Amino acid sequence: MPYQAPTADQLFVLKDVLGLETYANLPKFADAPMDLIEQIVEEGAKFCENVLAPLNKVGDTQGCKWLPDNTVTTPDGFKEAYKQLVETGFPALAADPAHGGQGLPGVINVAFSEASSSSNMAFSMFPGLTSGNYAAIASRGSDEQKATYCAKLASGEWSGTMNLTEPHCGTDLGLLRTKAVPRGDGTYRISGQKIWISAGEHDVSENIIHLVLARIEGAPPGVKGISLFIVPKYIPNADGSPGARNEGVKCAGLEHKMGIHGNPTCVMAYDDAIGYLIGEENGGLSIMFIMMNEARLWVGLQGLSQAEAAYQAAVTFAKERLQGRSLTGPKNPDGPADPIIVHPDVRRMLMESKATIEGMRALLYWTILQEDLAHVHPDEQARQKAGDLVGLMTPICKAYLTDKGFEIASLAMQVHGGSGFTEHFPASQYLRDSRITMIYEGTNGIQALDLVGRKLPAKGGRAAMALLAELNAVAADAGEDPAVAPYVDALNTARERLQDATGWLMQNAMANPDNAGAASTDFLRLVTLAGLCMVWTKAAKIAAARVAAGDSNPFYANKLATGRFFLERIAPEGALHLTRMKTGAAAMMALPAEAF
Amino acid sequence: MPYQAPTADQLFVLKDVLGLETYANLPKFADAPMDLIEQIVEEGAKFCENVLAPLNKVGDTQGCKWLPDNTVTTPDGFKEAYKQLVETGFPALAADPAHGGQGLPGVINVAFSEASSSSNMAFSMFPGLTSGNYAAIASRGSDEQKATYCAKLASGEWSGTMNLTEPHCGTDLGLLRTKAVPRGDGTYRISGQKIWISAGEHDVSENIIHLVLARIEGAPPGVKGISLFIVPKYIPNADGSPGARNEGVKCAGLEHKMGIHGNPTCVMAYDDAIGYLIGEENGGLSIMFIMMNEARLWVGLQGLSQAEAAYQAAVTFAKERLQGRSLTGPKNPDGPADPIIVHPDVRRMLMESKATIEGMRALLYWTILQEDLAHVHPDEQARQKAGDLVGLMTPICKAYLTDKGFEIASLAMQVHGGSGFTEHFPASQYLRDSRITMIYEGTNGIQALDLVGRKLPAKGGRAAMALLAELNAVAADAGEDPAVAPYVDALNTARERLQDATGWLMQNAMANPDNAGAASTDFLRLVTLAGLCMVWTKAAKIAAARVAAGDSNPFYANKLATGRFFLERIAPEGALHLTRMKTGAAAMMALPAEAF
């Protein structure tokens, strides 16, 4: 069975776990009643299933092609699908009405974004990057820049890119060398080489708007001297149409890579390209972080999306493949063998996938809701709290969801057995495509450092305090239903471990900063597990109430059965992470470099 | 830096951890003094580094090509390298002198096999499969079959294959349909389709000897009616040269697969091919298991080999890539940034790889030593014990070493950051190549079932008892050095967890067989961790003694530092596995199939 958007679980999260209807009195949310949300989720699902999913393998097999005239062609069907996407209006749902958008909360779009990325991750990177590009210009561009670019980017007619990395500088942006020289007319000449630029050149949109980090001549060294420039492929005409070719920017080649073949990863050569400063001189990094934080949540979503798609492929295979007999007696006595879904170890892989995916979905959607609340909530304290939670949970969602996206893609391959290793089945593509998500937009190790070194200590630990308060509130609100009690216990245990870990960090990171670095990945997992326990408790409360009320939809009893697997086999991982992090940096740093 | 065989650690394991010299009074071992072993390891390393490693990327990029005349060409250089390999005599080191071999213990070859597979896994599958083929014919073939095939297979002049899988039947061999019809002259006509046949057709050896599972007309259904046949590509002449083409066997195509492109994975079509029964009618499975058990250890070795090669690539990158500054102050103050090996989270990945690899190497080599002892030890009880231990540890080595081979390849990619995802660096190939090892020769889930369902209960649990006795003996023999005490503690803890887990299984698997299946993978990990604690204790004892004696070689202090990482961050995983397995099958099996 080909991919089908998990609309039932998506709507359960939006409606029940997040309780979107309770925000109906807030700006933006007021325009998004539940029936509209349902309609968007369902229409979006159809588009993804019917238009994007059939192109996923085509994209992997054909890949993108670079031509000697520095143009890039996308796989068959991508151009047409992109045109259809723009026509649906989905990209503009959450954009500002001033830019032709619908002005709906961002969380409205998340189910569609997930399904879009599950259907075709490489394709969905075209609109995905554009969305971050739009956000940066919409929030920091001049009025003229907004007027020129925002509507085109919001609709998707034009697409966008982020240009950070150079051959010698990825994580460490302070090393970057791309130069910006004032032309005297307010514009700049941009020169330098950027690598790993997703969708840097292609044929799906009529213009490509590059956001490029560069150093203005004479700027201070390091990250304090970095500015951000808009470098359009075609200079926009006064009437808004794409004008003359910006000759100084071109794609010098494509990377050969393990996955996401349907999206071109470009080497971009800038040679006196015309660029427009966005925001302040030397203020580029803070604008880039607007894009970056948005992009990190979206990469987390990619992880979730590949997990879901791979899991679905594994389920299909496990139900169809006949091999061996159940340990408890034949389940398909008339067939030559039982479907392999009867075997406990196959179940283990499917249940681990399912329980992880459902928790991740709820946690990610919840985080994206906080992002909306941080913008639209009328109460300043509520906005601040939501903003703190988004900041804290962004590295969590990026790192955990992508680690698990890849792990679950690997489990899906394992369920397929030898078939999974062949390119005849989809498991290999999910495995290969998902792997990049652990790396780009800041490797998962960088996410852990961002959490421990930046998000945790910021403003006296305010974000962590907000999370702990939220965990307590959810526990207190869980009610007395004995079916929910084990979730509350797990939540309390996870919270205590997190407090313990935070205390350990405060004591030991000062004494030796390497202790913070050494602890970072385990600490990230402890925060994640607490977050997962939180969303599972919310979900269980609702599901248990429905079961108790005699709801005939098996969804709710199944949700509790899946939650039990989470409680029994995933939540206990926290003990190991706490044990590990408390061993500190000594063993990790003991060997001299030459001993490796 | 390109791959370099880890000869220092290999020799430490062979000489110190296994104490090969203490077996000098045994047959075969008597002919392998330590200086000969050192020479073999070092000469082998040179061959692998100089001849095989340079062809690894060539093999991945070019792949094998199927031609319409049903022949297959291998990548450039493979044919010549194979010829050189045969000339070195390495393949025949452990073969019977009656077949032109050197008659040395199998453990002599393991360091070379590891380095060979690290250098070029796809290439090393040609001799690897041949070795299992040789073992099957040497132990169960008729005298005539031995005379015809063994010397050619031992030298590698002819290569071998295993033909088990059919499109509808992989793990569940009882379903197989390939037919064998007596021709009346003692030979058979073999007809059917086999898939996933590694090295089923190629141009590196002058003949290819297929061992094919098939059902003789009228044989009982299921696994009791399966026989094994020798089906040579060219029928051997009386003088031992390859004669007429066996027209009924041909390669109908190749699989397109995620990795091991340098080795052809063939669809083999048998259509009245001439076959020679090996062993008894309907006795095929037991012969196939001779090959299979050997092959499973060898696949475990592949996992180790990919881990080592990927780890080395990660180390090279981590020492060269300059990005960011150490948290404890610049370590490369004259450069633009520090090498990323200074960062704790990069260290975490490298140390996890290193500690895991060194433990796996010791455990695998120890298991292969047991295999030798099971054959050559003059004392029957010692032979039985060694044989029991090999049987028990075969699924352990296959599953754990391949799970970790892939995980470590993924860690290596992560250390590379974005570079790792491009095919310009070797990380992608290691990741893609290693992934098959978790699947073939029985998926790792099947290994766990083999352990729990077959190896553990066999003969009243004799093998597990032998392992527990060995663990106790190693603990008792560890001495009083306080540097070794934490290893003994970890070993005792691991043994207690294993006993606890075994007790739980005995109580709960009878009540519900699904409990055994549900527990199997966690149980496999518990046995593995006990085995790793055992070999680490042996290694630590020797290293600590050398350090105490003032040995100036930093190898020994580094071994203890690496061991500390194992103790602090890997050994504690046992608690989680025990917690998980004791939750039983309930949550795993709760959902109806349609809920997935």
Side-chain angles (χ1 to χ4, degrees), chain A residues 167 170 172 256 258 321 323-324 345 347 410 414 421 423 435 438 521-522 569 573 580 591, chain B residues 167 170 172 256 258 321 323-324 345 347 410 414 421 423 435 438 521-522 569 573 580 591:
Chain A
D172 189 352
H256 296 276
M258 192 172 77
R321 176 75 170 169
Q323 208 77 177
D345 199 67
R347 285 281 178 138
S410 183
Q414 198 66 16
F421 195 67
E423 298 291 354
R435 187 61 184 80
M438 296 163 66
T521 290
D522 287 300
R569 299 182 64 97
E573 290 170 6
R580 276 187 182 151
L591 289 180
Chain B
D172 189 352
H256 296 277
M258 193 171 76
R321 175 76 172 168
Q323 209 76 177
D345 198 68
R347 285 282 179 137
S410 183
Q414 197 66 15
F421 195 67
E423 297 291 354
R435 187 60 185 80
M438 295 163 66
T521 290
D522 287 300
R569 298 181 63 96
E573 290 169 7
R580 275 188 182 150
L591 290 179

CSV table of all heavy atoms in Angstrom, one decimal, chain A residues 167 170 172 256 258 321 323-324 345 347 410 414 421 423 435 438 521-522 569 573 580 591, chain B residues 167 170 172 256 258 321 323-324 345 347 410 414 421 423 435 438 521-522 569 573 580 591:
chain,number,residue,atom,x,y,z
A,167,PRO,N,33.5,26.0,1.9
A,167,PRO,CA,34.2,24.8,2.0
A,167,PRO,C,35.0,24.6,3.4
A,167,PRO,O,35.0,23.5,3.9
A,167,PRO,CB,35.2,24.8,0.9
A,167,PRO,CG,34.5,25.7,-0.2
A,167,PRO,CD,33.7,26.7,0.6
A,170,GLY,N,31.6,25.4,8.2
A,170,GLY,CA,30.2,25.0,8.3
A,170,GLY,C,29.7,25.4,9.6
A,170,GLY,O,29.1,26.5,9.8
A,172,ASP,N,31.3,26.5,12.2
A,172,ASP,CA,32.0,27.7,12.7
A,172,ASP,C,31.9,28.8,11.7
A,172,ASP,O,32.8,29.1,10.9
A,172,ASP,CB,33.5,27.2,12.9
A,172,ASP,CG,34.2,28.3,13.7
A,172,ASP,OD1,33.7,29.4,13.9
A,172,ASP,OD2,35.4,28.0,14.0
A,256,HIS,N,27.4,14.9,-5.3
A,256,HIS,CA,26.9,13.5,-5.4
A,256,HIS,C,26.7,13.0,-4.0
A,256,HIS,O,27.6,13.0,-3.2
A,256,HIS,CB,27.9,12.6,-6.1
A,256,HIS,CG,28.1,13.1,-7.5
A,256,HIS,ND1,27.2,12.7,-8.6
A,256,HIS,CD2,29.0,13.9,-8.1
A,256,HIS,CE1,27.6,13.3,-9.7
A,256,HIS,NE2,28.7,14.0,-9.4
A,258,MET,N,24.3,10.7,-0.8
A,258,MET,CA,23.7,9.4,-0.5
A,258,MET,C,22.2,9.4,-0.7
A,258,MET,O,21.6,8.4,-1.1
A,258,MET,CB,24.0,9.0,0.9
A,258,MET,CG,23.7,7.6,1.2
A,258,MET,SD,24.3,7.0,2.9
A,258,MET,CE,23.1,7.8,3.9
A,321,ARG,N,4.1,-10.3,3.6
A,321,ARG,CA,5.1,-11.3,3.5
A,321,ARG,C,4.8,-12.5,4.4
A,321,ARG,O,4.6,-12.4,5.6
A,321,ARG,CB,6.5,-10.7,4.0
A,321,ARG,CG,7.6,-11.7,4.0
A,321,ARG,CD,8.1,-12.0,2.6
A,321,ARG,NE,9.4,-12.7,2.7
A,321,ARG,CZ,9.9,-13.3,1.6
A,321,ARG,NH1,9.3,-13.3,0.4
A,321,ARG,NH2,11.0,-14.0,1.7
A,323,GLN,N,5.9,-15.9,6.1
A,323,GLN,CA,7.2,-16.6,6.4
A,323,GLN,C,7.1,-17.1,7.9
A,323,GLN,O,6.9,-16.3,8.8
A,323,GLN,CB,8.3,-15.5,6.3
A,323,GLN,CG,9.7,-16.1,5.9
A,323,GLN,CD,9.8,-16.5,4.4
A,323,GLN,OE1,10.8,-17.0,4.0
A,323,GLN,NE2,8.7,-16.5,3.6
A,324,GLY,N,7.2,-18.4,8.0
A,324,GLY,CA,7.2,-18.9,9.4
A,324,GLY,C,5.8,-18.9,10.0
A,324,GLY,O,4.8,-18.5,9.4
A,345,ASP,N,9.3,-10.3,17.4
A,345,ASP,CA,10.5,-9.4,17.2
A,345,ASP,C,10.1,-8.5,16.0
A,345,ASP,O,10.7,-7.4,16.0
A,345,ASP,CB,11.7,-10.2,16.9
A,345,ASP,CG,13.0,-9.3,17.1
A,345,ASP,OD1,13.2,-9.0,18.3
A,345,ASP,OD2,13.6,-9.0,16.1
A,347,ARG,N,7.0,-7.4,15.6
A,347,ARG,CA,6.2,-6.5,16.4
A,347,ARG,C,7.0,-5.4,17.2
A,347,ARG,O,6.6,-4.3,17.3
A,347,ARG,CB,5.4,-7.3,17.4
A,347,ARG,CG,4.2,-8.0,16.9
A,347,ARG,CD,3.1,-7.0,16.6
A,347,ARG,NE,2.0,-7.8,16.0
A,347,ARG,CZ,0.7,-7.6,16.4
A,347,ARG,NH1,0.4,-6.7,17.3
A,347,ARG,NH2,-0.2,-8.3,15.8
A,410,SER,N,15.7,2.6,9.5
A,410,SER,CA,16.5,1.4,9.5
A,410,SER,C,15.7,0.2,10.1
A,410,SER,O,15.9,-0.9,9.5
A,410,SER,CB,17.8,1.7,10.4
A,410,SER,OG,18.6,0.5,10.4
A,414,GLN,N,14.9,-3.3,8.2
A,414,GLN,CA,15.1,-4.6,8.9
A,414,GLN,C,13.8,-5.5,8.8
A,414,GLN,O,13.9,-6.7,8.5
A,414,GLN,CB,15.5,-4.4,10.4
A,414,GLN,CG,16.1,-5.6,11.1
A,414,GLN,CD,17.4,-5.9,10.5
A,414,GLN,OE1,18.1,-5.2,9.8
A,414,GLN,NE2,17.9,-7.1,10.8
A,421,PHE,N,17.0,-4.1,1.3
A,421,PHE,CA,18.3,-3.7,0.9
A,421,PHE,C,18.3,-3.4,-0.7
A,421,PHE,O,19.2,-2.8,-1.2
A,421,PHE,CB,19.4,-4.7,1.2
A,421,PHE,CG,20.8,-4.1,1.2
A,421,PHE,CD1,21.2,-3.1,2.0
A,421,PHE,CD2,21.7,-4.6,0.2
A,421,PHE,CE1,22.5,-2.6,2.0
A,421,PHE,CE2,23.0,-4.2,0.2
A,421,PHE,CZ,23.4,-3.1,1.0
A,423,GLU,N,16.8,-1.8,-4.1
A,423,GLU,CA,16.1,-0.5,-4.4
A,423,GLU,C,14.7,-0.8,-5.0
A,423,GLU,O,14.0,0.2,-5.4
A,423,GLU,CB,17.0,0.3,-5.4
A,423,GLU,CG,18.3,0.7,-4.8
A,423,GLU,CD,18.3,1.7,-3.7
A,423,GLU,OE1,17.2,2.2,-3.4
A,423,GLU,OE2,19.3,2.0,-3.1
A,435,ARG,N,18.9,10.3,6.4
A,435,ARG,CA,20.2,10.4,7.1
A,435,ARG,C,20.7,11.8,7.2
A,435,ARG,O,21.4,12.2,8.1
A,435,ARG,CB,21.3,9.5,6.5
A,435,ARG,CG,22.6,9.4,7.3
A,435,ARG,CD,22.4,8.9,8.7
A,435,ARG,NE,23.6,8.9,9.5
A,435,ARG,CZ,24.0,10.0,10.1
A,435,ARG,NH1,23.4,11.2,9.9
A,435,ARG,NH2,25.1,9.9,10.9
A,438,MET,N,20.0,14.4,10.3
A,438,MET,CA,20.8,14.4,11.5
A,438,MET,C,21.9,15.4,11.4
A,438,MET,O,22.6,15.7,12.4
A,438,MET,CB,21.3,13.0,11.8
A,438,MET,CG,20.2,12.0,12.1
A,438,MET,SD,20.9,10.3,12.0
A,438,MET,CE,22.0,10.2,13.3
A,521,THR,N,24.5,15.3,24.9
A,521,THR,CA,23.6,14.4,24.1
A,521,THR,C,22.7,13.7,25.1
A,521,THR,O,21.5,13.5,24.8
A,521,THR,CB,24.4,13.5,23.2
A,521,THR,OG1,25.0,14.3,22.1
A,521,THR,CG2,23.6,12.5,22.5
A,522,ASP,N,23.3,13.2,26.2
A,522,ASP,CA,22.4,12.5,27.1
A,522,ASP,C,21.4,13.4,27.8
A,522,ASP,O,20.3,13.0,28.0
A,522,ASP,CB,23.3,11.8,28.2
A,522,ASP,CG,24.0,10.6,27.7
A,522,ASP,OD1,23.3,9.6,27.2
A,522,ASP,OD2,25.3,10.6,27.7
A,569,ARG,N,9.0,0.5,27.5
A,569,ARG,CA,10.3,0.2,26.8
A,569,ARG,C,11.0,1.4,26.3
A,569,ARG,O,12.2,1.3,26.0
A,569,ARG,CB,10.0,-0.7,25.6
A,569,ARG,CG,9.4,-2.1,26.0
A,569,ARG,CD,9.2,-3.0,24.9
A,569,ARG,NE,10.4,-3.4,24.2
A,569,ARG,CZ,11.1,-4.5,24.5
A,569,ARG,NH1,10.7,-5.4,25.3
A,569,ARG,NH2,12.2,-4.7,23.8
A,573,GLU,N,14.5,4.5,29.3
A,573,GLU,CA,15.9,4.9,28.8
A,573,GLU,C,16.5,6.0,29.6
A,573,GLU,O,17.7,6.2,29.6
A,573,GLU,CB,15.8,5.3,27.3
A,573,GLU,CG,15.5,4.2,26.4
A,573,GLU,CD,15.2,4.6,24.9
A,573,GLU,OE1,15.3,5.9,24.7
A,573,GLU,OE2,14.8,3.8,24.1
A,580,ARG,N,24.9,7.7,32.4
A,580,ARG,CA,26.0,8.0,31.5
A,580,ARG,C,26.5,9.5,31.7
A,580,ARG,O,27.6,9.7,31.8
A,580,ARG,CB,25.5,7.9,30.1
A,580,ARG,CG,25.6,6.5,29.5
A,580,ARG,CD,25.3,6.6,28.0
A,580,ARG,NE,25.3,5.2,27.5
A,580,ARG,CZ,24.5,4.9,26.4
A,580,ARG,NH1,23.7,5.7,25.8
A,580,ARG,NH2,24.6,3.7,26.0
A,591,LEU,N,42.1,10.2,26.3
A,591,LEU,CA,43.1,9.8,25.3
A,591,LEU,C,43.7,11.0,24.6
A,591,LEU,O,43.0,11.9,24.2
A,591,LEU,CB,42.5,8.8,24.3
A,591,LEU,CG,42.1,7.4,24.7
A,591,LEU,CD1,41.5,6.7,23.5
A,591,LEU,CD2,43.3,6.7,25.3
B,167,PRO,N,12.2,-16.4,-4.2
B,167,PRO,CA,11.4,-15.2,-4.1
B,167,PRO,C,10.4,-15.3,-2.9
B,167,PRO,O,10.2,-14.3,-2.2
B,167,PRO,CB,10.7,-15.1,-5.4
B,167,PRO,CG,11.6,-15.7,-6.4
B,167,PRO,CD,12.2,-16.8,-5.7
B,170,GLY,N,12.6,-17.0,2.3
B,170,GLY,CA,13.9,-16.6,2.8
B,170,GLY,C,14.2,-17.3,4.1
B,170,GLY,O,14.8,-18.4,4.1
B,172,ASP,N,12.1,-18.8,6.0
B,172,ASP,CA,11.3,-20.0,6.1
B,172,ASP,C,11.7,-20.9,5.0
B,172,ASP,O,10.9,-21.1,4.0
B,172,ASP,CB,9.9,-19.6,6.1
B,172,ASP,CG,8.9,-20.7,6.4
B,172,ASP,OD1,9.4,-21.9,6.6
B,172,ASP,OD2,7.7,-20.5,6.6
B,256,HIS,N,19.5,-4.3,-7.9
B,256,HIS,CA,20.0,-3.0,-7.6
B,256,HIS,C,19.9,-2.8,-6.2
B,256,HIS,O,18.8,-2.9,-5.6
B,256,HIS,CB,19.1,-2.0,-8.4
B,256,HIS,CG,19.3,-2.1,-9.9
B,256,HIS,ND1,20.3,-1.6,-10.6
B,256,HIS,CD2,18.5,-2.8,-10.8
B,256,HIS,CE1,20.2,-1.9,-11.9
B,256,HIS,NE2,19.1,-2.7,-12.0
B,258,MET,N,21.4,-1.0,-2.2
B,258,MET,CA,21.9,0.2,-1.5
B,258,MET,C,23.4,0.2,-1.4
B,258,MET,O,24.1,1.2,-1.4
B,258,MET,CB,21.3,0.3,-0.2
B,258,MET,CG,21.5,1.7,0.5
B,258,MET,SD,20.5,1.9,2.0
B,258,MET,CE,21.5,1.0,3.1
B,321,ARG,N,39.8,18.4,10.2
B,321,ARG,CA,38.8,19.5,10.0
B,321,ARG,C,38.9,20.5,11.2
B,321,ARG,O,38.8,20.1,12.3
B,321,ARG,CB,37.4,18.8,10.0
B,321,ARG,CG,36.2,19.8,10.0
B,321,ARG,CD,36.0,20.3,8.6
B,321,ARG,NE,34.8,21.1,8.5
B,321,ARG,CZ,34.5,21.9,7.5
B,321,ARG,NH1,35.3,22.0,6.4
B,321,ARG,NH2,33.4,22.6,7.4
B,323,GLN,N,37.4,23.6,13.1
B,323,GLN,CA,36.1,24.2,13.3
B,323,GLN,C,35.8,24.4,14.7
B,323,GLN,O,35.8,23.5,15.6
B,323,GLN,CB,35.0,23.2,12.7
B,323,GLN,CG,33.7,23.9,12.2
B,323,GLN,CD,33.9,24.6,10.8
B,323,GLN,OE1,33.0,25.1,10.2
B,323,GLN,NE2,35.2,24.6,10.2
B,324,GLY,N,35.6,25.7,15.1
B,324,GLY,CA,35.4,26.0,16.5
B,324,GLY,C,36.6,25.9,17.4
B,324,GLY,O,37.7,25.5,17.0
B,345,ASP,N,31.6,16.2,22.3
B,345,ASP,CA,30.6,15.4,21.7
B,345,ASP,C,31.2,14.6,20.5
B,345,ASP,O,30.7,13.5,20.1
B,345,ASP,CB,29.4,16.2,21.3
B,345,ASP,CG,28.2,15.3,21.0
B,345,ASP,OD1,27.7,14.7,22.0
B,345,ASP,OD2,27.8,15.2,19.8
B,347,ARG,N,34.4,13.5,20.5
B,347,ARG,CA,35.0,12.5,21.3
B,347,ARG,C,34.1,11.3,21.7
B,347,ARG,O,34.4,10.2,21.7
B,347,ARG,CB,35.6,13.0,22.6
B,347,ARG,CG,36.8,13.9,22.4
B,347,ARG,CD,38.0,12.9,22.3
B,347,ARG,NE,39.1,13.7,22.1
B,347,ARG,CZ,40.3,13.5,22.7
B,347,ARG,NH1,40.4,12.4,23.4
B,347,ARG,NH2,41.3,14.2,22.4
B,410,SER,N,27.4,4.9,11.0
B,410,SER,CA,26.6,6.1,11.1
B,410,SER,C,27.2,7.2,12.0
B,410,SER,O,27.2,8.4,11.6
B,410,SER,CB,25.2,5.8,11.6
B,410,SER,OG,24.3,6.9,11.6
B,414,GLN,N,28.4,11.0,11.0
B,414,GLN,CA,28.0,12.2,11.8
B,414,GLN,C,29.2,13.0,12.1
B,414,GLN,O,29.2,14.2,12.1
B,414,GLN,CB,27.3,11.7,13.1
B,414,GLN,CG,26.5,12.7,13.9
B,414,GLN,CD,25.3,13.2,13.1
B,414,GLN,OE1,24.9,12.6,12.1
B,414,GLN,NE2,24.8,14.4,13.5
B,421,PHE,N,27.8,13.0,4.1
B,421,PHE,CA,26.6,12.7,3.3
B,421,PHE,C,26.9,12.7,1.8
B,421,PHE,O,26.2,12.2,1.0
B,421,PHE,CB,25.5,13.6,3.6
B,421,PHE,CG,24.1,13.1,3.1
B,421,PHE,CD1,23.5,12.0,3.6
B,421,PHE,CD2,23.4,13.8,2.1
B,421,PHE,CE1,22.3,11.6,3.2
B,421,PHE,CE2,22.2,13.4,1.6
B,421,PHE,CZ,21.6,12.3,2.2
B,423,GLU,N,29.2,11.7,-1.5
B,423,GLU,CA,30.0,10.5,-1.9
B,423,GLU,C,31.5,10.8,-2.1
B,423,GLU,O,32.2,9.9,-2.5
B,423,GLU,CB,29.4,9.8,-3.2
B,423,GLU,CG,27.9,9.4,-3.0
B,423,GLU,CD,27.8,8.2,-2.1
B,423,GLU,OE1,28.8,7.6,-1.6
B,423,GLU,OE2,26.6,7.8,-1.7
B,435,ARG,N,25.1,-2.0,6.0
B,435,ARG,CA,23.7,-2.2,6.4
B,435,ARG,C,23.2,-3.6,6.0
B,435,ARG,O,22.4,-4.2,6.8
B,435,ARG,CB,22.8,-1.2,5.7
B,435,ARG,CG,21.3,-1.2,6.2
B,435,ARG,CD,21.2,-1.0,7.6
B,435,ARG,NE,19.9,-1.1,8.2
B,435,ARG,CZ,19.3,-2.3,8.4
B,435,ARG,NH1,20.0,-3.4,8.2
B,435,ARG,NH2,18.1,-2.3,8.9
B,438,MET,N,23.3,-6.7,8.7
B,438,MET,CA,22.3,-6.9,9.8
B,438,MET,C,21.2,-7.8,9.2
B,438,MET,O,20.3,-8.3,10.0
B,438,MET,CB,21.7,-5.6,10.2
B,438,MET,CG,22.6,-4.7,10.9
B,438,MET,SD,22.0,-2.9,10.9
B,438,MET,CE,20.6,-3.1,12.0
B,521,THR,N,15.7,-10.1,21.6
B,521,THR,CA,16.7,-9.1,21.2
B,521,THR,C,17.4,-8.5,22.5
B,521,THR,O,18.6,-8.4,22.5
B,521,THR,CB,16.1,-8.0,20.3
B,521,THR,OG1,15.8,-8.6,19.0
B,521,THR,CG2,17.1,-6.9,20.1
B,522,ASP,N,16.6,-8.2,23.5
B,522,ASP,CA,17.2,-7.7,24.7
B,522,ASP,C,18.1,-8.8,25.4
B,522,ASP,O,19.1,-8.5,25.9
B,522,ASP,CB,16.1,-7.2,25.7
B,522,ASP,CG,15.5,-5.9,25.2
B,522,ASP,OD1,16.2,-4.9,25.1
B,522,ASP,OD2,14.3,-5.9,25.0
B,569,ARG,N,30.0,3.8,30.1
B,569,ARG,CA,28.9,4.2,29.2
B,569,ARG,C,28.3,3.1,28.4
B,569,ARG,O,27.2,3.2,27.9
B,569,ARG,CB,29.4,5.3,28.3
B,569,ARG,CG,29.8,6.5,29.1
B,569,ARG,CD,30.3,7.7,28.2
B,569,ARG,NE,29.2,8.1,27.4
B,569,ARG,CZ,28.5,9.2,27.6
B,569,ARG,NH1,28.6,9.9,28.7
B,569,ARG,NH2,27.6,9.6,26.8
B,573,GLU,N,24.2,-0.4,29.9
B,573,GLU,CA,23.1,-0.7,29.1
B,573,GLU,C,22.3,-1.9,29.5
B,573,GLU,O,21.1,-2.1,29.3
B,573,GLU,CB,23.5,-0.9,27.6
B,573,GLU,CG,23.9,0.4,27.0
B,573,GLU,CD,24.6,0.2,25.6
B,573,GLU,OE1,24.6,-0.9,25.1
B,573,GLU,OE2,25.1,1.2,25.1
B,580,ARG,N,13.5,-3.9,30.1
B,580,ARG,CA,12.7,-4.1,28.9
B,580,ARG,C,12.2,-5.5,28.8
B,580,ARG,O,11.0,-5.7,28.5
B,580,ARG,CB,13.5,-3.7,27.7
B,580,ARG,CG,13.5,-2.2,27.4
B,580,ARG,CD,14.1,-2.0,26.0
B,580,ARG,NE,14.2,-0.6,25.7
B,580,ARG,CZ,15.1,-0.1,24.9
B,580,ARG,NH1,16.1,-0.8,24.4
B,580,ARG,NH2,15.1,1.2,24.7
B,591,LEU,N,-1.9,-4.9,20.1
B,591,LEU,CA,-2.6,-4.4,19.0
B,591,LEU,C,-3.0,-5.4,17.9
B,591,LEU,O,-2.2,-6.3,17.6
B,591,LEU,CB,-1.9,-3.3,18.2
B,591,LEU,CG,-1.6,-2.0,19.0
B,591,LEU,CD1,-0.8,-1.0,18.2
B,591,LEU,CD2,-2.9,-1.3,19.4
